[in-house]
């Protein structure tokens, strides 16, 4: 402000002496300096631009390198196993082949294992009313009386059945139970045995003093918020089938599976054939309707049924233990294991879910699919025009003989479920079929009920 005033004051004086430039002359020039100044500012601006451009280029290059690195890693991972100690790669099919190919045998440590069970798991629940029964050789199955039963006993019994979540027991009057069980035999817990395994905590009884027996529910399984290729199926939402998981190997959907607790997944044994035996490459993705191939739970055990026969697909069942339990929420929660002797009639309504092919030579589906299919009785499925002698006692068939709706490639290991007593039960595990949805070639499933003894024993015995 002050400077300006000075300049104006000087101008009229100066105008009469144009050739006598006053030292003040440069002043207006100085004022004009701002006219010069754009140069440095432009320089500054372009400098800024260069810096920005460099940063951008660096980011883009880093991005490209990361993506390339990711794909290269995936490619390498799909073909090789890395021996950390000896810092070298071996072909993936040498991992878990029974020979130590890395120094120290690193390639044989985290592998699929097998487990055969030829004992009877000593605790079970009956299908009607879920009555707790204990077993001992010689004495057979005995229903447990409510006499001296405590919530701690319920906790122990549920733990033996593989559950730690929300045990809940009620008593049922003996007069109201199935007629075949009414006359016993019974067993009752001894006092002070709350943490002893149930079958060891009981003594025989001819009658229950209390006149009632224990009915047990072990987890909040099989309940969903609302009621609700697969070839010929429809889009499904995970909230309605929250036990459904995607088993992925090297970021690729390989099989389906079903959560039976917050830590255990039931799937098919054939999902781990060939080069798929090494555990560090597997991830279990839960809680997703749209297939997502990033993240997922790590796996610390895969146990194949020791009687699995790859040629016949007999005993096609496996259990996966997650490295850490999932958080149970609306989108991820376990399905119930069926109680014992749940006699489902031919034609019973079942649902199969998965991200498998939507046609025989198709592709995996980005969205979870579901299909309602009826149970087919063993006689029909074993008839010469269907599968003949290929159907064993450990299998069951479901679908339409006229074809059109079925599970398909990529659905393997996934759940076949049935809704009864207000819960969804896991009845079958997607196993095999000739083609998909063909006439007289329905889907074949591993029969979970026949595997309960194996499932309960593995879950209880795995350290
Ligand atoms: N084995 C197949 C798989 O690996 C599943 C076959 C089921 N096929 C059928 N038609 N239901 O995904």
């Amino acid at each position: 402000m002050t400077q300006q005033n000075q300049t104006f004051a000087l101008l009229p004086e100066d105008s009469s002496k144009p050739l006598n430039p006053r030292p003040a002359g440069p002043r207006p020039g100085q004022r004009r300096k701002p006219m010069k100044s754009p140069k440095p500012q432009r320089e500054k601006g372009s400098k800024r631009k260069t810096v920005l451009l460099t940063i951008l280029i660096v980011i883009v290059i880093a991005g490209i390198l990361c993506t390339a690195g990711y794909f290269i890693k995936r490619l390498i991972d799909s073909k090789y196993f890395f021996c950390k100690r000896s810092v070298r790669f071996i072909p993936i099919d040498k991992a878990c082949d029974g020979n130590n190919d890395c120094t120290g045998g690193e390639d044989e440590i985290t592998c699929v294992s097998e487990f055969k069970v030829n004992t009877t798991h000593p605790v079970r629940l009956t299908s009607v009313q879920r009555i707790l029964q204990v077993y001992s050789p010689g004495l057979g199955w005995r229903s447990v009386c409510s006499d001296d039963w405590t919530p701690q006993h319920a906790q122990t019994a549920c733990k033996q059945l593989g559950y730690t979540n929300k045990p809940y027991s009620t008593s049922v009057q003996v007069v109201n139970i199935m007629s075949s069980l009414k006359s016993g035999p019974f067993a009752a817990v001894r006092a002070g045995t709350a943490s002893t395994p149930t079958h060891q905590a009981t003594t025989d009884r001819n009658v229950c003093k209390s006149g009632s027996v224990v009915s047990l529910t072990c987890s909040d399984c099989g309940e969903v918020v609302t009621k609700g290729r697969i070839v010929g199926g429809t889009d499904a939402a995970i909230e309605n089938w929250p036990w459904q998981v995607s088993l992925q190997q090297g970021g690729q959907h390989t099989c389906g599976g079903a959560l039976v607790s917050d830590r255990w997944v039931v799937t098919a044994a054939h999902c781990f054939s060939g080069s798929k035996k090494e555990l560090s490459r597997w991830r279990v993705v839960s809680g997703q309707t749209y297939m997502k191939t990033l993240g997922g739970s790590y796996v610390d055990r895969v146990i194949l049924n020791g009687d699995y026969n790859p040629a016949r697909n007999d005993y096609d069942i496996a259990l996966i233990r997650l490295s850490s339990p999932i958080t149970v929420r609306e989108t991820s929660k376990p399905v119930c294991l069926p109680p014992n002797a749940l006699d489902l009639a031919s034609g019973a309504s079942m649902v199969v879910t998965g991200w498998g092919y939507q046609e025989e030579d198709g592709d995996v589906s980005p969205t979870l699919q579901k299909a309602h299919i009826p149970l087919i009785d063993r006689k029909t499925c074993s008839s010469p025009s269907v599968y003949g002698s290929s159907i064993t006692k450990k299998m069951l068939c479901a679908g339409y003989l006229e074809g059109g709706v079925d599970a398909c490639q990529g659905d393997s290991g996934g759940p076949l479920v049935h809704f009864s007593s207000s819960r969804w039960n896991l009845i079958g595990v997607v196993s095999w079929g000739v083609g998909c949805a063909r006439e007289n070639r329905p889907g074949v499933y591993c029969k979970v009920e026949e595997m309960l003894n194996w499932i309960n024993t593995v879950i209880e015995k795995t350290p």
Side-chain angles (χ1 to χ4, degrees):
M1 250 264 249
T2 40
Q3 237 182 10
Q4 243 177 13
N5 283 346
Q6 256 179 16
T7 321
F8 276 119
L10 290 171
L11 271 171
E13 260 179 57
D14 288 353
S15 60
S16 55
K17 299 169 188 170
L19 297 174
N20 183 16
R22 292 178 50 129
R27 281 221 148 173
Q30 263 179 354
R31 272 182 69 235
R32 249 183 271 126
K33 245 188 188 164
M35 302 283 280
K36 275 189 203 160
S37 72
K39 229 186 195 174
Q41 232 178 40
R42 219 179 278 149
E43 263 164 34
K44 256 191 228 159
S46 62
K47 229 182 226 166
R48 214 177 284 150
K49 258 187 211 159
T50 331
V51 171
L52 275 179
L53 206 69
T54 323
I55 292 176
L56 205 75
I57 289 171
V58 168
I59 290 176
V60 169
I61 291 177
I64 291 173
L65 284 178
C66 279
T67 331
Y70 172 74
F71 282 105
I72 291 170
K73 186 183 173 327
R74 253 173 85 156
L75 193 71
I76 292 175
D77 277 354
S78 71
K79 298 223 155 46
Y80 299 96
F81 176 83
F82 182 62
C83 309
K84 287 194 193 88
R85 272 210 261 161
S86 42
V87 198
R88 108 196 139 87
F89 287 98
I90 59 165
I92 186 67
D93 47 2
K94 295 223 162 186
C96 301
D97 65 347
N99 300 318
N100 293 349
D101 299 285
C102 298
T103 27
E106 257 177 75
D107 58 320
E108 300 296 322
I109 298 171
T110 52
C111 300
V112 162
S113 55
E114 280 181 18
F115 195 83
K116 239 185 210 187
V117 174
N118 35 28
T119 52
T120 306
H121 189 67
V123 181
R124 73 174 185 191
L125 303 177
T126 65
S127 59
V128 181
Q129 297 167 311
R130 294 183 172 261
I131 291 163
L132 178 66
Q133 295 190 311
V134 288
Y135 181 86
S136 58
L139 291 168
W141 289 102
R142 288 152 297 150
S143 306
V144 177
C145 301
S146 303
D147 316 3
D148 301 319
W149 185 256
T150 63
Q152 285 71 39
H153 284 101
Q155 181 90 41
T156 307
C158 283
K159 214 169 149 200
Q160 281 186 281
L161 290 166
Y163 298 101
T164 48
N165 212 7
K166 305 199 179 167
Y168 168 74
S169 59
T170 55
S171 24
V172 180
Q173 297 266 300
V174 173
V175 290
N176 292 330
I177 65 177
M178 273 166 77
S179 46
S180 58
L181 301 180
K182 273 184 189 162
S183 55
F186 299 101
V189 291
R190 283 172 272 120
T193 54
S195 50
T196 316
T198 316
H199 61 290
Q200 291 165 357
T202 49
T203 47
D204 296 327
R205 289 280 170 83
N206 289 325
V207 285
C208 293
K209 266 191 235 151
S210 58
S212 56
V213 290
V214 175
S215 163
L216 189 64
T217 305
C218 288
S219 98
D220 57 346
C221 62
E223 288 174 313
V224 295
V225 267
T226 54
K227 257 209 69 185
R229 175 160 302 220
I230 304 266
V231 180
T234 50
D235 285 0
I238 196 77
E239 288 81 358
N240 295 329
W241 320 98
W243 40 83
Q244 172 82 53
V245 297
S246 159
L247 308 186
Q248 305 185 353
Q249 220 208 3
Q252 233 166 11
H253 171 83
T254 310
C255 268
L259 288 162
V260 292
S261 74
D262 59 0
R263 218 177 160 185
W264 287 94
V265 171
V266 168
T267 186
H270 82 257
C271 295
F272 303 93
S273 62
S275 63
K276 302 186 193 127
K277 296 186 164 59
E278 208 278 312
L279 306 189
S280 69
R281 304 152 46 72
W282 285 97
R283 297 289 179 275
V284 175
V285 178
S286 61
Q288 304 293 326
T289 296
Y290 300 97
M291 168 103 51
K292 189 185 89 168
T293 54
L294 284 176
S297 305
Y298 287 71
V299 163
D300 71 1
R301 291 285 193 129
V302 171
I303 299 152
L304 311 186
N305 190 298
D307 290 309
Y308 167 56
N309 175 341
R312 302 206 67 185
N313 273 314
D314 207 10
Y315 292 83
D316 191 5
I317 196 164
L319 273 163
I320 299 177
R321 191 174 70 175
L322 307 178
S323 299
S324 53
I326 55 137
T327 317
V328 173
R329 48 166 80 107
E330 250 171 45
T331 54
S332 338
K333 61 168 75 163
V335 66
C336 301
L337 285 170
N340 205 65
L342 183 73
D343 249 327
L344 292 175
S346 161
S349 167
M350 316 295 257
V351 178
V352 62
T353 48
W355 289 275
Y357 289 11
Q358 288 175 293
E359 52 188 35
E360 224 178 278
D361 294 304
D363 216 338
V364 290
S365 163
T367 314
L368 184 63
Q369 301 288 301
K370 64 161 191 290
H372 292 258
I373 47 177
L375 191 68
I376 297 173
D377 62 281
R378 174 168 314 281
K379 221 177 124 207
T380 311
C381 202
S382 304
S383 70
S385 63
V386 188
Y387 285 127
S389 59
S390 306
I391 302 301
T392 69
K393 270 185 68 186
K394 311 296 172 191
M395 301 176 189
L396 60 82
C397 305
Y400 296 95
L401 291 180
E402 60 269 34
V405 187
D406 194 5
C408 200
Q409 264 29 264
D411 290 320
S412 274
L416 177 77
V417 293
H418 174 75
F419 193 73
S420 63
S421 334
S422 56
R423 285 168 193 277
W424 288 96
N425 288 305
L426 182 67
I427 305 300
V429 175
V430 179
S431 179
W432 62 278
V434 172
C436 302
R438 295 190 195 172
E439 189 187 342
N440 281 337
R441 296 292 179 266
V444 185
Y445 298 78
C446 178
K447 190 171 177 182
V448 174
E449 195 194 312
E450 291 286 332
M451 298 294 140
L452 283 176
N453 192 47
W454 180 80
I455 295 172
N456 287 326
T457 309
V458 170
I459 293 181
E460 193 199 15
K461 295 250 162 85
T462 304

